[in-house]
């Protein structure tokens, strides 16, 4: 492998690993804030116990997410220095805002929340977790805005062989960024809801702390139901924006080869492994692709045959990522609607609880599939229409990247094993045992 391929693998490995933790941080911070707010409003100690128990899981996840995110920013300098030189004015300014405003706010108040339970008034304490949740989500916006510039560059001028910032507001508020942010947050909130429901299902199947986990389950269920529907809506809006600004990505998402009006969607499509057409195209819905992409049954949709081969994204991973994300999104709506109908008899529905327990990994798959679709579908461009990925990597030795890639895999593998071990251990203990263990350590 050459430096380019190794650098791509390294960044992909770091991004996919980091993105295992980010969505849970975004969603669980909101759920913990809601639990503590209910406690402050009602004085119900059960919600205080819930905020502390789920808050502990949030902290474990947050710590690993921060560690793995830092290395990504370093890779822009070590592995992608030509890219950083070309768009550093724009990309760097967005990441600087994220670090100096949102991340510092988040990091400061998370410490206040952890150590402030007995030192602050209930109202002041709940304000700190809301600040943590808000800062986490604001942080996500700036990172997604930076990514959106790579997908649809706006607010720049080409000068001195570089893309330089011309209109910061245009970059920060462009439609692509707003839609991508809304869809990413919806996916994160679904993941947090299913994470809580999966752990609750584990305990409810054993009839442990039934009242505690029933309340937690219902809260997470409503949260996940709302955002499962929101994900479908924001996904549809985002797809229409992709159709406007990234036609080759849309064509790859559907493995759509022939440019045509009233373009159909085939319910069963099997792309050729080597590209250039599909092996199977069954059960067409006439005009469905035109309607979904442009709100018009008769609209023309550009096919991959009319896009130069050197400008096409890899079709198979883009197609599979899209199909997996959409299929799981539909499943999440069905599972949360089913749960809402059974919400008052959860312990009497072991089949549903078993399904929710085993469904816990599915939102992780959906989020990773969505991210793969976003990034692979942008290829061969690192900045759409301006700079190819093949022009962006650092002039370094192959051995340097190969060694660092191997180190990343080993270190991240160990970190991941430790993180999921701690999350599983604390989740299985339940609130009483976890509190007793913490108390014993304090006394010791």
């Amino acid at each position: 492998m050459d430096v380019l391929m190794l650098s791509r693998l390294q960044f992909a490995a770091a991004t996919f690993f980091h993105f295992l933790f980010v969505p849970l941080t975004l969603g669980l911070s909101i759920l913990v804030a809601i639990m503590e707010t209910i406690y402050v409003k009602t004085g119900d100690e059960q919600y205080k116990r819930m905020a502390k128990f789920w808050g502990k899981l949030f902290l474990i996840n947050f710590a690993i997410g921060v560690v793995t995110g830092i290395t990504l920013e370093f890779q822009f300098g070590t592995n992608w220095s030509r890219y950083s030189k070309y768009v550093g004015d724009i990309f760097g300014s967005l990441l600087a805002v994220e670090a100096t405003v949102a991340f510092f706010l988040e990091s400061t108040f998370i410490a206040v929340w952890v150590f402030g339970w007995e030192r602050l008034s209930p109202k002041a304490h709940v304000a700190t977790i809301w600040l943590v949740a808000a800062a986490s989500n604001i942080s996500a916006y700036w990172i997604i805005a930076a990514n959106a510039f790579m997908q649809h560059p706006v607010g720049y001028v080409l000068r001195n062989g570089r893309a330089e910032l011309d209109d910061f507001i245009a970059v920060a508020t462009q439609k692509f960024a707003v839609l991508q942010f809304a869809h990413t947050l919806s996916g994160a909130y679904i993941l947090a809801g299913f994470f809580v429901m999966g752990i609750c299902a584990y305990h409810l199947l054993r009839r442990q702390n039934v009242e505690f986990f029933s309340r937690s389950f219902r809260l997470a269920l409503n949260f996940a139901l709302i955002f499962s529907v929101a994900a479908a809506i924001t996904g549809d809006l985002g797809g229409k924006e992709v159709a406007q600004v990234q036609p080759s990505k849309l064509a790859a998402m559907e493995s759509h080869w022939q440019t045509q009006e009233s373009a159909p969607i085939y319910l069963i499509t099997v792309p050729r492994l080597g590209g250039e057409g599909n092996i199977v195209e069954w059960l067409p819905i006439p005009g469905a692709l035109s309607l979904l992409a442009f709100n018009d049954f008769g609209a023309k949709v550009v096919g991959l045959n009319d896009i130069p081969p050197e400008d096409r994204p890899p079709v198979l991973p883009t197609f599979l990522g899209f199909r997996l994300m959409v299929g799981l999104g539909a499943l999440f709506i069905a599972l949360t609607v089913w749960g809402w109908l059974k919400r008052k008899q959860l312990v009497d529905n072991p089949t549903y609880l078993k399904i929710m327990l085993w469904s816990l990994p599915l939102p992780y798959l959906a989020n990773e599939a969505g991210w793969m679709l976003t990034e692979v579908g942008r290829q061969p461009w690192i900045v759409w229409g301006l700079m190819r990925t093949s022009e962006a990597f650092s002039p370094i030795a192959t051995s340097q990247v190969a060694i660092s890639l191997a180190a990343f895999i080993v270190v991240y593998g160990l970190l991941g094993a430790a993180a999921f071990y701690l999350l599983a251990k604390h989740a299985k203990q339940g609130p009483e045992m976890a509190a007793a263990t913490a108390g014993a350590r304090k006394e010791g």
Side-chain angles (χ1 to χ4, degrees):
M1 290 187 188
D2 58 13
V3 173
L4 173 60
M5 178 54 70
L6 287 170
S7 294
R8 295 174 83 165
L9 288 175
Q10 183 167 305
F11 198 81
T15 302
F16 277 107
F17 186 77
H18 178 56
F19 207 56
L20 287 173
F21 302 97
V22 172
L24 186 58
T25 292
L26 297 177
L28 197 53
S29 62
I30 299 283
L31 279 171
V32 172
I34 292 171
M35 292 168 185
E36 190 173 347
T37 300
I38 297 173
Y39 158 66
V40 172
K41 282 184 171 290
T42 65
D44 189 333
E45 289 287 332
Q46 192 79 282
Y47 285 99
K48 183 179 182 181
R49 293 173 65 223
M50 288 162 59
K52 286 193 170 185
F53 175 72
W54 297 109
K56 182 73 173 292
L57 292 168
F58 164 73
L59 292 173
I60 296 170
N61 183 80
F62 175 83
I64 301 297
V66 169
V67 170
T68 57
I70 291 171
T71 59
L72 279 172
E73 298 202 19
F74 280 114
Q75 285 187 45
F76 290 119
T78 56
N79 295 60
W80 303 100
S81 59
R82 289 169 175 148
Y83 162 80
S84 297
K85 181 179 180 182
Y86 189 72
V87 297
D89 280 10
I90 304 160
F91 202 77
S93 64
L94 296 167
L95 294 186
V97 173
E98 184 272 333
T100 55
V101 177
F103 182 64
F104 283 163
L105 182 67
E106 180 184 25
S107 302
T108 301
F109 280 96
I110 202 168
V112 177
W113 184 75
V114 171
F115 298 108
W117 278 103
E118 309 305 328
R119 295 176 175 82
L120 299 174
S121 69
K123 289 184 178 178
H125 192 263
V126 75
T128 62
I129 189 62
W130 276 112
L131 284 170
V132 170
S136 298
N137 285 265
I138 292 169
S139 174
Y141 182 80
W142 289 108
I143 293 171
I144 288 173
N147 181 268
F149 176 82
M150 298 165 71
Q151 307 287 339
H152 182 228
V154 297
Y156 69 93
V157 292
L158 293 178
R159 189 160 45 213
N160 302 318
R162 304 168 64 232
E164 296 183 357
L165 185 62
D166 182 58
D167 186 342
F168 180 79
I169 298 300
V171 176
T173 62
Q174 67 154 314
K175 187 178 179 181
F176 202 104
V178 173
L179 292 173
Q180 192 176 353
F181 177 66
H183 192 56
T184 303
L185 278 199
S186 297
Y189 295 171
I190 293 169
L191 187 150
F194 273 71
F195 178 84
V196 172
M197 287 190 286
I199 293 170
C200 290
Y202 173 85
H203 288 282
L204 291 175
L205 283 165
R206 289 160 178 75
R207 295 187 179 268
Q208 299 168 345
N209 292 291
V210 170
E211 181 63 21
F212 178 93
F213 284 111
S214 292
R215 286 194 193 187
S216 296
F217 193 107
R218 284 193 286 270
L219 189 70
L221 173 65
N222 289 327
F223 193 67
L225 172 58
I226 292 169
F227 287 101
S228 293
V229 175
I233 296 170
T234 55
D236 176 65
L237 295 173
K240 288 178 169 56
E241 185 67 8
V242 166
Q244 294 287 343
V245 302
Q246 295 180 318
S248 63
K249 181 189 283 187
L250 175 73
M253 286 162 59
E254 292 292 346
S255 194
H256 175 70
W257 290 87
Q258 300 298 329
T259 299
Q260 62 187 112
E261 297 177 349
S262 298
I265 284 180
Y266 293 92
L267 294 181
I268 300 176
T269 302
V270 180
R272 294 186 189 280
L273 289 178
E276 302 298 335
N278 299 320
I279 300 172
V280 173
E281 288 180 342
W282 291 347
L283 304 176
I285 302 176
L289 182 55
S290 295
L291 178 66
L292 288 175
F294 299 106
N295 286 329
D296 180 357
F297 271 111
K300 180 190 289 185
V301 180
V302 175
L304 289 162
N305 284 336
D306 285 328
I307 296 169
E310 65 272 20
D311 289 344
R312 296 176 192 163
V315 176
L316 189 60
T318 308
F319 172 84
L320 292 177
F322 178 61
R323 285 291 192 281
L324 182 60
M325 182 183 66
V326 171
L328 288 174
L331 178 64
F332 299 150
I333 294 175
L335 288 176
T336 50
V337 169
W338 183 11
W340 192 82
L341 295 174
K342 301 293 184 184
R343 67 191 183 284
K344 294 180 181 177
Q345 304 93 29
L346 289 170
V347 292
D348 298 326
N349 288 276
T351 301
Y352 177 70
L353 292 176
K354 288 177 184 175
I355 290 172
M356 294 308 291
L357 173 59
W358 290 106
S359 296
L360 198 157
L362 297 182
Y364 284 92
L365 282 177
N367 277 276
E368 296 286 4
W371 203 241
M372 181 175 74
L373 161 65
T374 302
E375 298 306 291
V376 176
R378 190 191 62 229
Q379 302 304 318
W381 305 101
I382 193 167
V383 182
W384 188 270
L386 291 182
M387 185 180 209
R388 291 179 183 272
T389 307
S390 58
E391 301 167 338
F393 63 95
S394 300
I396 52 180
T398 304
S399 58
Q400 291 176 301
V401 191
I403 292 171
S404 59
L405 173 59
F408 269 113
I409 292 172
V410 172
V411 173
Y412 278 8
L414 293 173
L415 277 175
F420 286 112
Y421 168 75
L422 290 173
L423 286 170
K425 180 182 176 183
H426 187 73
K428 286 182 177 179
Q429 283 181 340
E432 270 69 31
M433 186 63 74
T437 302
R441 286 177 181 161
K442 190 174 181 181
E443 289 173 9

